[in-house]
Amino acid sequence: MGIKLRDVIYEVGGGIPDHKSFKAAQTGGPIGGCLPSSLLDLPIDYESLTQAGAMMGSGGLIVMDESTCMVDVAKYFLTFAQSESCGKCVPCRVGSKQMLEIMEDIAAGRGEMEHLDQLQYLSKLLKMGSLCALGGGTPNPVLSTLEHFRHEYEEHILDKHCSAGVCKSLVVAPCQNTCPLGTPVPQYVGLIAKGAFQEALDLVREDNPFPGVCGRVCPRPCESACRRGTVDEPVAICDLKRFIADEVSLPEGSAPVVVAAEDLGKVAVIGSGPAGLTAAYHLAKQGCRVTVFEALPVVGGMMAVGIPEYRLPREVLNSEIRAIEELAVQIHTGMRIGKDIDLDELLARGFRAVFVAVGAHQSNKLGIPGEERQGVLHGTNFLRDVNLNGQLSMAGRSVAVVGGGDVAIDAARSALRLAAREVHVVYRRSSEEMPAQQAEIRAAAEEGVKFHYLAAPKQVLGGNGAVEGLECIRMQLGGWDSSGRRRPEPVAGSEFHLDVDVLIPAIGQSPDLGLFNGNGHGDLVNRGLIMADRRTMATQRPGVFAGGDAVTGPATVIQAIAAGAKAAKSMVRYLKGEELFISPGLPDKTRPPEADSWSPAEGGTARSRMPELDPERRKRDFREVETGLTRQSAVREAGRCLRCDWEE
Amino acid sequence: METFSLTIDGIPVAAQHGQTILEAARTAGIYIPNLCADPDLAPYGACRLCVVEVDGARGLPTACSTPATPGMVVRTDTPNVNMVRRGVVELLISDHPEDCLTCPRNQHCELQKIAAYVGVREQRFRKLHRPPIVDDSNPFFRRDLSKCILCGKCVRACAEILNVGAVNFINRGYRTYIGTLGERPLVESNCESCGLCVEVCPTGALASKNGKAPSREVNTICGYCAVGCGIKLGVRGQELVGSTGDPENEVNHGNLCVKGRYGYGFVNHADRLTSPLIKKDGDFVKASWDEALDLIAENFGKHRGDAFGVLSSARCTNEENYLIQKFARGVMGTNNVDHCARL
Amino acid sequence: MAGLATSFGSGAMTNPIDDFLKASTLFVIGSNTTEEHPIIALRIKQAAQKGAKLIVADPREINLCRFANIWLRQRPGTDIALINAMMKVILDERLEDGEFIQERTEGFDEFARALRQVNVPEASQITGVPVEDIVEAARMYATSKPASIAYSMGITQHTHGTGNVMSLANLAMMTGNIGKPGAGINPLRGQNNVQGACDMGALPATLPAYQQVADEQVRRRFEAAWGMPVPAEKGLTVSEMTAAAGAGKIRAMYVVGENPVLSDPDSTHVRHALDNLAFLVVQDIFLTETAQLADVVLPASSFAEKDGTFTNTERRVQRVRKAIEPLAGTRPDWRITCAIAQRLSGHGFDYEGPEDIFAEIAAVTPSYHGITYERLEKGGIQWPCPDQSHPGTPILHVDGFARPSKKGKFVPVDYSGPAETPDEEFPLMLITGRRLTHYHTGVQTRRVKGLQELAPEELVEISPVDAETMGIEDGDMVRVSSRRGRLEAKSRVTERSLPGSVFMSFHYHESPANVLTNPALDPVAKIPEFKTCAVRVERI
């Protein structure tokens, strides 16, 4: 009694397996309740559990990770309770049946928001009106998930989407379900398998104007979800996308895009990163005259100034930008919002709507003594310099990069390519927790980057203003935090020195909204981020929409593209005077005749390996490391797809 | 019996020990809606319509199963009570067909009555569909389980009052329904067709196949066996259209068997004799009453005394039996009078 | 009737129906109560459910057996042996109620002497009931009081029916189970107003209220009241009249609402007898099998078309009310009888209506003196009800018996077997009785569509053992024959039937059981032995 839920799960139970994160715990069996991570520190006793909407019971403790759908869980427990109902009293017999039907509708994508009110009402009715405790407890799983995971219900109802990929009616295939943009992966992979590369690319480009970029830099969540991974290895989805982008686009030019005949008037997009340009692409296709304003001298946002060339050759990016410009999208560089242009001014100048997608370019500070010294280059600034200033050199310098994300690895490998003598990466947790893509970490290590895990910078050393070294301290992993990772704690007296003269902190970025704030648009900002509706991307100001890193904080290219596409959709509705948000339809799951003839490559067929340059050779310059799949290996790789979308 | 006082909705009510809140309220003329309570059956507490609030008690006890106690303060019209009541009625309606106008129980339906009492005007919940199991096997009544609200009155009456137990609950949860052992048609079960279940059913789930409602009722005594059950014959014009047990009668207290409830059909049967018949040359010929009576008087007159015999009838009234023996003895001069007492 | 009259001075249910709920022990013998008296059966089942002990004695596995603590499956016609054995056990174990015997009865010593000759193991042999069951039943009845006896035609319709009844009376008296709530001895009468018909003197030996025609004072009173002479010699019973008709002694008959062709034993003989009459009048609501033999048929009105009173099995006089007008062309029986009487005598039958007749009944019937239509509006009244302030008498013999000495009389009864026993030619015992869905000769119920659907045809119940011997399978058509006749019907092979016996109802004219039955009569009560006769069953 009184032990914390967290201790039971992590200490007694050994934590969540497979590096997945904790989502919820159900106590009290089918008529208990679901507790979210925010209640992990709840002391377990009769009163506290009851108060939290769960209960003490013999039903065990069911711990659920991110692959659990809370709607599905509540439905499951309700099904159980309903079948255990003795059927005697009306509230339990009919009420729980009504609840179950609603839950089934929600899970099947037939839900409506008023169903949530009905669930609340029925829950109250069962609690107050049932004959016994079973009836009174039956609503608990629904009530507790409604309280703690309401967004999942809304996602099922409004977006017809089940993030966990559990609710079958809403999921075409796990890969597609996991992709923020909902890319029709099985379909384009299927086309590649048939050799229909052009059709495959056209399909991808319907939603995504950056297949070449994504095919190179995407952290490929689709592959983590790929069911082939349970047989042998996931399909190399990302590499296949790069293959069609290279195979079709670059030699023959992009396929023509159909533009709507309708003229929806002028719209402005602020920021030419993946979010802004994707929005511009879709807005133009729908009949908008789009003007993009970019603060930097180059177009592409983080794609141009964040990602190093050895991962994303500029001509790949530029050809995809050119294809957008061909839709009559005007791009003005060197135009910074709040300085060169103002939101109100744009609206006054006849832009009927504005999409703000200024990204998150400002590196976070380490907050340690000596951070102001010369030789401290913040991650994003450093990468921008690398990309914009061809003269930059690190020859003979010894560099320490602090952080474990993609920016840190990009900075480290770039520094190496700028002839740094040695490059260290200091990360406060162990390698397993490192958020950067594993392939990137591996590549960096191959190139000679030295990793210092379980270490944190303590102060920047130096005499007359320049960096002369970095004092670090060893860390050890302590208790579990809410993300399910163990919290790093300093080991007293374990300080050590790194003999470096350049320090690149890369521990995260934030949007630079200073100018935005200063121009009377502070109402659009909260906690350093622009506030926008997560479905419509609308801000609280009519006609002003926002998306990408500026709204979410630093995220991936594909998330930014998804935000841009979503924003374009609701902006078009706005321009047409329609409801901003309309729930999408349910996926069409009818099985085409060809499905019967699909036979995936048999189990154990190895995944095609992306060929790459030799580490010793590649680390000297910014040539692209990965060289792309051959036609033969691409077609063979595509043949490994299980076509989950055709599952019966 | 000793009485005590309690308060229901602010009104002082007298109750007897052993009475439930519902019974005390009923005695005092205060209506508390209910579907599964019956004065002749043990409290059941399933429909949840009779929930009330009792000062000092937790939750919402059901009036049908909570004993009245001295000084108890009961409220039957609070927000929580009304919330549960309305919810229950809405749930029941959601699980019930809406063919009221053609339903045999129309206007005698307890569910209708309670929906009206609670004031349900809209249907918030989706329509559920109970399996449309119909058992048409009994010649007198029909079971339509799509209209069953599972109040269990039929099950309980058949078990508690009749000790027959022809029907019981099958399955659990929403899949619960009422059926016979082995789910056979009612006529193949141990059902005795007494129709008590039809009488206690609050909805159209159990309904007489006779579509005619009586325009008046006459209290009389069943004409079959010697138990002498009190019945109320339902009459429409000059036709008998129904028979129900007279709850006031001290013999049967409202109970009836299959013959008492459904055996009246012979009265209006086409085979009834409607004219005196005289046998002429071996065949019956219709005759007038005078003709027949004259012929009888003439012939009886020839056989007075012990050459004459009279069979009276155990199915005739006392008055008629008295007259017949008086006739035999006084007019015909014989004690040769008997009836089927021994048969 | 006659048996109880001998022992107690009155032959009716001693206690009201609701008293079954007050009994600690219920002894049901010769009554298939759930089918013949369903509402009384409800009370018996309720009593059993509430914890009363139930002893059922019946050769057939009737529905009540399910509720019984002990089921005594005696062979048909061996009731006296069974009851005598029970009483022997009571006597041996000194379980009798000495005080009651001393104060309320007479003739016990002689009775006890006779009883001492009874041998229980021998009775067990005769009845087929295990000794230990006899002992247990005897102890239960004698010790768990009050104990109530219910019986019906299974007791009376035997050649020794009077003996059966007197045995039960002896049993009740020796244990003091008489004159008390929840006790008593309760004959469940068959037809709706059989009690009333008897009360009214529709019997050959008694005038209303069982006043003997043989008693001159009684006759004087009635002659004064009626203004007509009353013959002194007692008349003939139904069966005797049939015989007299057959022999040409009775030449004319007036049959009101009876169907002796189907209801009386040895139908063939009955038919011949009625054919032999010079003049037969039948008054009924349908053209019954008997009416078809009549010279004149008079159309009567049904119970729903007239006012009057019925007296039920617990002596409760209740009002029958007219629900509809008499069907066009029909007349209520009382009107018809009056019309005939007036044509023959010219006076004394000019009643205004049933209430008028009832007033005369009350005047000449001591047990009905206090009953009026006005009082009956408030509910039934159980006779005796000597005056208008008297509430009626639910329980008889509370203070004294209706005999001149006020004491109950023990009458020793010796066991003797049925008149006809199985032999090689007719190896089975036929038991006749009723079914829930039909009534008597089926004149009414066979014309109720639904009842007919529920039980469309006769089923001859035969035990699996006998069925196998005879090569009969359930549902086979069989021929049942006795010394008097034969019929065909469908078979029902069932464990309900005691091996060696078959069961039939007499509801179906298509398979009229009474062509088979034995017209042998109980010498006192003149009741025919419907419950046992020897038959043969063959598959056809």
Side-chain angles (χ1 to χ4, degrees):
Chain A
M1 285 294 179
I3 186 174
K4 285 180 182 175
L5 197 54
R6 181 192 307 281
D7 294 336
V8 174
I9 294 170
Y10 290 102
E11 300 300 336
V12 182
I16 314 293
D18 297 336
H19 304 291
K20 292 190 173 163
S21 55
F22 170 84
K23 187 171 194 174
Q26 169 96 0
T27 72
I31 57 169
C34 279
L35 304 170
S37 58
S38 60
L39 293 174
L40 272 174
D41 288 322
L42 191 75
I44 299 176
D45 59 48
Y46 189 86
E47 285 78 21
S48 63
L49 284 178
T50 306
Q51 208 155 23
M55 62 179 263
M56 186 79 95
S58 59
L61 175 69
I62 301 163
V63 180
M64 292 163 273
D65 64 23
E66 63 218 358
S67 60
T68 312
C69 166
M70 299 316 288
V71 171
D72 181 67
V73 161
K75 188 186 81 175
Y76 171 80
F77 286 132
L78 191 59
T79 307
F80 186 83
Q82 148 72 210
S83 69
E84 283 300 299
S85 160
C86 77
K88 185 174 170 184
C89 79
V90 179
C92 181
R93 183 183 72 243
V94 189
S96 66
K97 172 69 174 171
Q98 284 283 2
M99 289 182 75
L100 183 58
E101 294 240 326
I102 291 171
M103 292 300 291
E104 281 169 350
D105 272 3
I106 292 174
R110 295 187 301 261
E112 286 162 26
M113 288 304 280
E114 65 189 34
H115 284 157
L116 301 185
D117 298 336
Q118 287 192 3
L119 286 174
Q120 295 275 11
Y121 174 84
L122 284 163
S123 297
K124 192 176 168 195
L125 182 59
L126 258 77
K127 281 201 166 299
M128 291 203 321
S130 292
L131 182 60
C132 75
L134 175 68
T138 295
N140 282 343
V142 171
L143 271 185
S144 58
T145 50
L146 257 182
E147 182 182 345
H148 301 303
F149 299 94
R150 190 181 172 91
H151 60 275
E152 290 199 26
Y153 284 82
E154 291 176 352
E155 187 188 48
H156 282 70
I157 294 169
L158 297 173
D159 304 321
K160 310 297 176 210
H161 188 246
C162 172
S163 301
V166 171
C167 297
K168 286 204 157 161
S169 312
L170 304 180
V171 177
V172 176
C175 47
Q176 182 167 349
N177 197 64
T178 310
C179 178
L181 187 63
T183 305
V185 176
Q187 291 183 53
Y188 84 72
V189 171
L191 289 167
I192 295 171
K194 283 201 291 189
F197 307 135
Q198 173 80 52
E199 286 94 323
L201 185 71
D202 290 348
L203 183 63
V204 172
R205 280 178 56 86
E206 271 181 29
D207 295 318
N208 184 352
F210 293 109
V213 174
C214 287
R216 286 171 167 83
V217 306
C218 190
R220 43 187 97 181
C222 51
E223 293 185 20
S224 309
C226 177
R227 211 173 282 157
R228 181 84 201 192
T230 63
V231 179
D232 36 48
E233 283 179 286
V235 175
I237 299 167
C238 194
D239 297 343
L240 288 173
K241 184 181 281 169
R242 171 179 162 169
F243 166 75
I244 46 170
D246 290 356
E247 184 74 10
V248 182
S249 255
L250 297 181
E252 284 128 33
S254 56
V257 171
V258 184
V259 175
E262 196 176 5
D263 180 8
L264 293 175
K266 290 201 305 180
V267 295
V269 171
I270 301 169
S272 70
L277 288 182
T278 301
Y281 171 74
H282 287 292
L283 287 166
K285 285 207 293 184
Q286 299 283 311
C288 296
R289 283 170 278 139
V290 186
T291 308
V292 179
F293 299 95
E294 170 57 54
L296 294 173
V298 293
V299 181
M302 276 294 187
M303 297 185 291
V305 300
I307 301 168
E309 271 211 81
Y310 64 86
R311 285 175 65 202
L312 174 58
R314 285 304 162 258
E315 63 271 21
V316 172
L317 173 63
N318 289 339
S319 73
E320 292 187 330
I321 292 172
R322 266 200 310 281
I324 295 168
E325 284 177 312
E326 277 167 23
L327 300 173
V329 172
Q330 304 271 325
I331 304 178
H332 301 295
T333 52
M335 298 283 278
R336 179 172 290 268
I337 188 161
K339 184 168 156 245
D340 305 311
I341 37 159
D342 182 73
L343 212 49
D344 294 330
E345 191 189 332
L346 286 174
L347 292 169
R349 269 170 48 190
F351 287 99
R352 296 184 61 208
V354 182
F355 180 50
V356 182
V358 296
H361 289 253
Q362 188 170 282
S363 273
N364 294 343
K365 299 269 187 289
L366 284 173
I368 57 171
E371 204 174 349
E372 317 75 35
R373 289 179 188 281
Q374 249 195 334
V376 176
L377 306 168
H378 278 93
T380 48
N381 297 351
F382 169 68
L383 290 173
R384 185 164 62 231
D385 286 350
V386 172
N387 281 301
L388 297 181
N389 178 3
Q391 311 304 310
L392 196 66
S393 169
M394 287 274 157
R397 310 287 289 267
S398 183
V399 180
V401 181
V402 177
D406 282 334
V407 172
I409 306 298
D410 286 349
R413 293 178 74 188
S414 293
L416 213 58
R417 280 163 175 73
L418 294 173
R421 180 161 50 85
E422 52 182 34
V423 178
H424 303 268
V425 171
V426 177
Y427 178 55
R428 58 191 186 136
R429 301 181 203 251
S430 69
S431 62
E432 282 176 15
E433 281 100 6
M434 209 160 185
Q437 295 181 54
Q438 287 299 311
E440 292 295 309
I441 300 167
R442 180 185 47 78
E446 280 171 6
E447 290 166 8
V449 173
K450 295 185 173 62
F451 286 89
H452 303 270
Y453 296 111
L454 289 169
K458 208 172 166 195
Q459 63 171 318
V460 187
L461 306 171
N464 50 1
V467 175
E468 290 177 4
L470 184 66
E471 184 186 316
C472 299
I473 186 162
R474 298 270 174 222
M475 308 294 276
Q476 64 184 11
L477 293 177
W480 303 82
D481 69 8
S482 56
S483 70
R485 296 188 298 179
R486 296 180 72 178
R487 206 176 282 114
E489 289 158 3
V491 179
S494 69
E495 288 83 353
F496 65 100
H497 287 197
L498 280 182
D499 187 15
V500 296
D501 48 12
V502 175
L503 173 66
I504 306 178
I507 56 160
Q509 302 78 243
S510 314
D512 182 2
L513 301 175
L515 291 167
F516 211 74
N517 275 329
N519 280 287
H521 305 306
D523 58 329
L524 300 181
V525 177
N526 181 36
R527 293 167 177 237
L529 300 172
I530 300 178
M531 289 186 295
D533 182 90
R534 52 190 292 261
R535 281 190 181 80
T536 62
M537 304 288 136
T539 66
Q540 52 184 286
R541 198 163 312 175
V544 179
F545 296 78
D549 285 0
V551 170
T552 60
T556 61
V557 170
I558 191 69
Q559 280 170 296
I561 289 172
K566 229 188 263 185
K569 229 176 232 169
S570 54
M571 287 170 79
V572 167
R573 291 201 184 105
Y574 170 78
L575 296 173
K576 289 181 175 173
E578 297 171 354
E579 275 290 316
L580 282 193
F581 179 78
I582 297 168
S583 281
L586 285 172
D588 178 10
K589 298 196 78 179
T590 46
R591 224 167 157 263
E594 58 174 315
D596 291 333
S597 57
W598 180 264
S599 62
E602 63 185 59
T605 307
R607 170 180 161 118
S608 298
R609 297 282 156 221
M610 172 60 84
E612 53 185 39
L613 300 179
D614 176 73
E616 281 311 311
R617 257 178 61 202
R618 75 193 187 211
K619 73 178 190 187
R620 296 190 206 120
D621 56 38
F622 281 84
R623 268 186 303 170
E624 188 171 20
V625 171
E626 299 178 335
T627 56
L629 298 180
T630 63
R631 271 187 191 217
Q632 194 192 3
S633 59
V635 170
R636 199 187 57 124
E637 180 62 20
R640 294 178 67 243
C641 177
L642 299 175
R643 293 308 301 255
C644 306
D645 59 327
W646 287 342
E647 190 180 40
E648 277 173 298
Chain B
M1 180 135 6
E2 202 189 326
T3 64
F4 58 85
S5 174
L6 69 158
T7 307
I8 301 178
D9 293 335
I11 301 164
V13 167
Q16 291 175 349
H17 281 286
Q19 275 192 319
T20 62
I21 296 174
L22 185 66
E23 286 162 347
R26 198 181 272 146
T27 313
I30 298 170
Y31 175 62
I32 300 177
N34 62 82
L35 280 171
C36 67
D38 188 296
D40 296 329
L41 300 173
Y44 190 56
C47 77
R48 318 305 291 165
L49 280 165
C50 71
V51 289
V52 293
E53 281 186 35
V54 174
D55 283 12
R58 269 180 55 187
L60 302 174
T62 42
C64 70
S65 59
T66 309
T69 55
M72 187 181 241
V73 177
V74 179
R75 296 170 215 278
T76 74
D77 194 54
T78 71
N80 280 345
V81 163
N82 289 329
M83 186 262 173
V84 169
R85 234 179 237 168
R86 170 174 291 270
V88 164
V89 175
E90 287 182 47
L91 284 176
L92 283 173
I93 294 174
S94 79
D95 198 26
H96 199 86
E98 282 170 358
D99 57 351
C100 288
L101 280 180
T102 51
C103 175
R105 197 66 74 165
N106 191 24
Q107 293 199 310
H108 304 285
C109 172
E110 288 293 313
L111 186 56
Q112 275 181 340
K113 184 178 157 192
I114 284 164
Y117 174 83
V118 172
V120 177
R121 292 285 175 271
E122 53 169 358
Q123 183 51 48
R124 236 183 309 182
F125 302 126
R126 72 190 57 203
K127 209 74 203 159
L128 300 176
H129 295 284
R130 298 197 60 71
I133 300 174
V134 172
D135 181 349
D136 217 10
S137 66
N138 191 287
F140 300 111
F141 56 89
R142 185 181 143 97
R143 298 170 72 234
D144 178 353
L145 296 191
S146 67
K147 291 179 176 172
C148 176
I149 57 167
L150 291 161
C151 65
K153 275 187 181 176
C154 56
V155 172
R156 293 179 289 138
C158 198
E160 291 177 29
I161 297 177
L162 306 168
N163 274 296
V164 169
V167 286
N168 212 329
F169 296 97
I170 298 175
N171 285 338
R172 45 196 306 146
Y174 182 72
R175 292 172 58 245
T176 309
Y177 67 96
I178 289 167
T180 61
L181 182 69
E183 299 173 53
R184 287 176 308 187
L186 208 51
V187 285
E188 291 173 31
S189 74
N190 60 331
C191 167
E192 296 179 357
S193 302
C194 75
L196 179 62
C197 54
V198 182
E199 190 171 303
V200 297
C201 180
T203 71
L206 283 158
S208 168
K209 286 184 176 175
N210 183 348
K212 283 186 185 171
S215 52
R216 60 194 172 92
E217 284 187 331
V218 177
N219 277 8
T220 185
I221 303 300
C222 174
Y224 285 111
C225 79
V227 178
C229 295
I231 56 173
K232 290 170 179 287
L233 280 180
V235 182
R236 173 89 73 97
Q238 289 301 307
E239 191 189 349
L240 300 186
V241 294
S243 168
T244 54
D246 177 1
E248 306 290 323
N249 185 281
E250 294 154 285
V251 176
N252 58 320
H253 305 284
N255 298 140
L256 285 182
C257 76
V258 59
K259 295 192 292 293
R261 196 183 302 274
Y262 298 116
Y264 53 80
F266 71 91
V267 170
N268 293 98
H269 196 278
D271 286 357
R272 278 284 299 274
L273 291 167
T274 51
S275 165
L277 303 173
I278 295 174
K279 196 175 271 172
K280 291 178 179 161
D281 302 328
D283 291 320
F284 284 118
V285 177
K286 284 189 183 178
S288 74
W289 274 98
D290 278 341
E291 197 184 339
L293 292 172
D294 286 346
L295 180 64
I296 290 167
E298 184 196 329
N299 280 285
F300 280 5
K302 295 181 201 162
H303 301 288
R304 288 191 201 243
D306 287 342
F308 193 74
V310 180
L311 288 190
S312 188
S313 175
R315 284 183 286 276
C316 286
T317 62
N318 287 329
E319 290 77 357
E320 290 160 345
N321 275 287
Y322 174 79
L323 286 187
I324 289 164
Q325 61 86 29
K326 180 178 174 184
F327 166 75
R329 294 183 163 118
V331 177
M332 297 305 295
T334 178
N335 279 317
N336 289 345
V337 55
D338 200 4
H339 68 285
C340 65
R342 300 165 187 84
L343 312 179
Chain C
M1 277 285 303
L4 283 190
T6 307
S7 303
F8 300 157
S10 170
M13 265 178 86
T14 60
N15 288 55
I17 293 168
D18 277 358
D19 255 27
F20 289 125
L21 289 168
K22 297 177 185 156
S24 276
T25 301
L26 289 152
F27 181 25
V28 178
I29 180 165
S31 161
N32 185 5
T33 327
T34 58
E35 301 220 37
E36 291 163 355
H37 303 93
I39 303 305
I40 290 178
L42 288 190
R43 307 297 168 244
I44 293 174
K45 289 191 281 185
Q46 276 162 5
Q49 206 73 2
K50 280 166 55 184
K53 299 194 164 65
L54 176 62
I55 305 165
V56 172
D58 206 297
R60 301 175 63 221
E61 187 178 3
I62 58 173
N63 185 271
L64 272 188
C65 295
R66 275 173 52 211
F67 300 85
N69 299 72
I70 307 175
W71 170 31
L72 309 171
R73 193 174 203 178
Q74 83 276 33
R75 295 200 180 95
T78 63
D79 308 273
I80 292 172
L82 176 68
I83 299 159
N84 276 349
M86 284 174 68
M87 292 190 289
K88 176 71 168 14
V89 172
I90 290 167
L91 201 63
D92 286 349
E93 302 194 1
R94 297 178 179 273
L95 302 175
E96 75 272 18
D97 184 341
E99 194 181 325
F100 187 90
I101 293 168
Q102 178 73 31
E103 289 176 11
R104 299 285 314 270
T105 69
E106 55 193 28
F108 181 74
D109 292 342
E110 189 197 339
F111 160 74
R113 264 198 303 280
L115 201 55
R116 288 194 207 289
Q117 308 306 312
V118 170
N119 179 307
V120 176
E122 200 175 289
S124 171
Q125 287 290 315
I126 295 167
T127 57
V129 178
V131 170
E132 54 270 30
D133 286 358
I134 297 174
V135 171
E136 196 188 342
R139 286 179 186 154
M140 193 177 277
Y141 178 82
T143 59
S144 183
K145 296 192 204 178
S148 173
I149 295 171
Y151 70 86
S152 191
M153 274 79 84
I155 279 296
T156 55
Q157 290 177 345
H158 293 279
T159 45
H160 45 77
T162 305
N164 283 349
V165 174
M166 287 190 294
S167 288
L168 290 172
N170 292 339
L171 177 64
M173 284 190 293
M174 80 184 292
T175 50
N177 276 313
I178 281 284
K180 298 164 185 167
I185 173 156
N186 298 294
L188 311 180
R189 309 302 302 266
Q191 305 193 49
N192 57 330
N193 199 33
V194 66
Q195 185 68 50
C198 293
D199 295 350
M200 291 304 104
L203 294 169
T206 58
L207 283 149
Y210 310 98
Q211 303 177 80
Q212 301 291 323
V213 289
D215 185 328
E216 189 178 344
Q217 278 193 329
V218 168
R219 285 202 309 279
R220 288 280 146 72
R221 271 209 304 280
F222 278 92
E223 283 169 351
W226 293 348
M228 294 185 289
V230 174
E233 195 175 330
K234 87 177 180 185
L236 303 177
T237 65
V238 176
S239 307
E240 289 167 338
M241 278 190 257
T242 314
K249 287 179 190 157
I250 286 184
R251 300 298 298 144
M253 280 186 80
Y254 177 35
V255 177
V256 180
E258 294 272 306
N259 190 14
V261 168
L262 282 195
S263 64
D264 288 21
D266 196 358
S267 303
T268 318
H269 171 71
V270 173
R271 199 177 281 273
H272 288 313
L274 294 178
D275 268 342
N276 201 32
L277 289 169
F279 193 65
L280 173 63
V281 175
V282 174
Q283 178 173 316
D284 212 313
I285 62 173
F286 292 105
L287 193 65
T288 63
E289 290 72 13
T290 304
Q292 286 170 23
L293 304 177
D295 296 288
V296 179
V297 178
L298 298 174
S301 304
S302 75
F303 83 110
E305 296 154 59
K306 59 194 179 188
D307 282 299
T309 54
F310 287 159
T311 303
N312 80 349
T313 186
E314 52 168 2
R315 298 171 280 105
R316 191 185 301 271
V317 182
Q318 303 190 98
R319 269 285 269 124
V320 175
R321 292 181 184 84
K322 185 168 80 176
I324 56 175
E325 291 302 318
L327 217 62
T330 72
R331 292 184 186 179
D333 296 277
W334 67 270
R335 276 192 191 281
I336 304 174
T337 304
C338 284
I340 296 172
Q342 281 171 338
R343 275 173 162 75
L344 284 165
S345 76
H347 77 279
F349 285 86
D350 47 358
Y351 301 97
E352 282 172 26
E355 186 166 8
D356 200 14
I357 304 168
F358 193 84
E360 184 177 315
I361 294 171
V364 300
T365 311
S367 52
Y368 283 60
H369 271 340
I371 305 175
T372 64
Y373 269 33
E374 195 187 337
R375 283 190 73 188
L376 291 177
E377 282 305 308
K378 295 188 203 79
I381 297 172
Q382 286 176 280
W383 64 255
C385 177
D387 60 67
Q388 289 204 20
S389 61
H390 193 282
T393 310
I395 304 175
L396 297 179
H397 319 309
V398 174
D399 298 317
F401 288 95
R403 299 178 64 250
S405 64
K406 302 279 175 204
K407 292 200 169 183
K409 186 180 181 199
F410 282 99
V411 181
V413 185
D414 286 336
Y415 166 72
S416 60
E420 191 175 75
T421 48
D423 53 23
E424 253 176 52
E425 197 183 356
F426 300 102
L428 297 171
M429 290 280 252
L430 172 70
I431 306 174
T432 65
R434 299 178 185 183
R435 298 186 195 283
L436 173 65
T437 28
H438 285 299
Y439 180 67
H440 222 64
T441 61
V443 171
Q444 291 149 285
T445 53
R446 297 288 308 279
R447 288 183 173 86
V448 177
K449 191 167 159 280
L451 295 175
Q452 179 59 15
E453 266 178 64
L454 282 173
E457 59 189 338
E458 179 55 30
L459 296 169
V460 180
E461 294 182 15
I462 183 163
S463 75
V465 180
D466 295 330
E468 204 185 323
T469 316
M470 277 157 250
I472 295 165
E473 284 186 27
D474 190 51
D476 283 349
M477 284 302 290
V478 292
R479 178 181 298 118
V480 188
S481 24
S482 76
R483 292 187 172 83
R484 290 154 294 278
R486 60 188 194 181
L487 54 80
E488 291 174 2
K490 199 181 266 184
S491 71
R492 160 60 45 87
V493 177
T494 168
E495 300 276 0
R496 275 199 302 271
S497 257
L498 177 71
S501 72
V502 291
F503 174 82
M504 284 186 73
S505 79
F506 58 106
H507 303 310
Y508 298 88
H509 61 81
E510 304 90 332
S511 32
N514 282 326
V515 302
L516 306 170
T517 48
N518 187 357
L521 300 181
D522 176 274
V524 184
K526 307 291 169 74
I527 299 178
E529 185 148 69
F530 287 112
K531 295 304 174 194
T532 52
C533 76
V535 295
R536 178 173 67 239
V537 181
E538 302 149 294
R539 198 180 134 191
I540 41 176

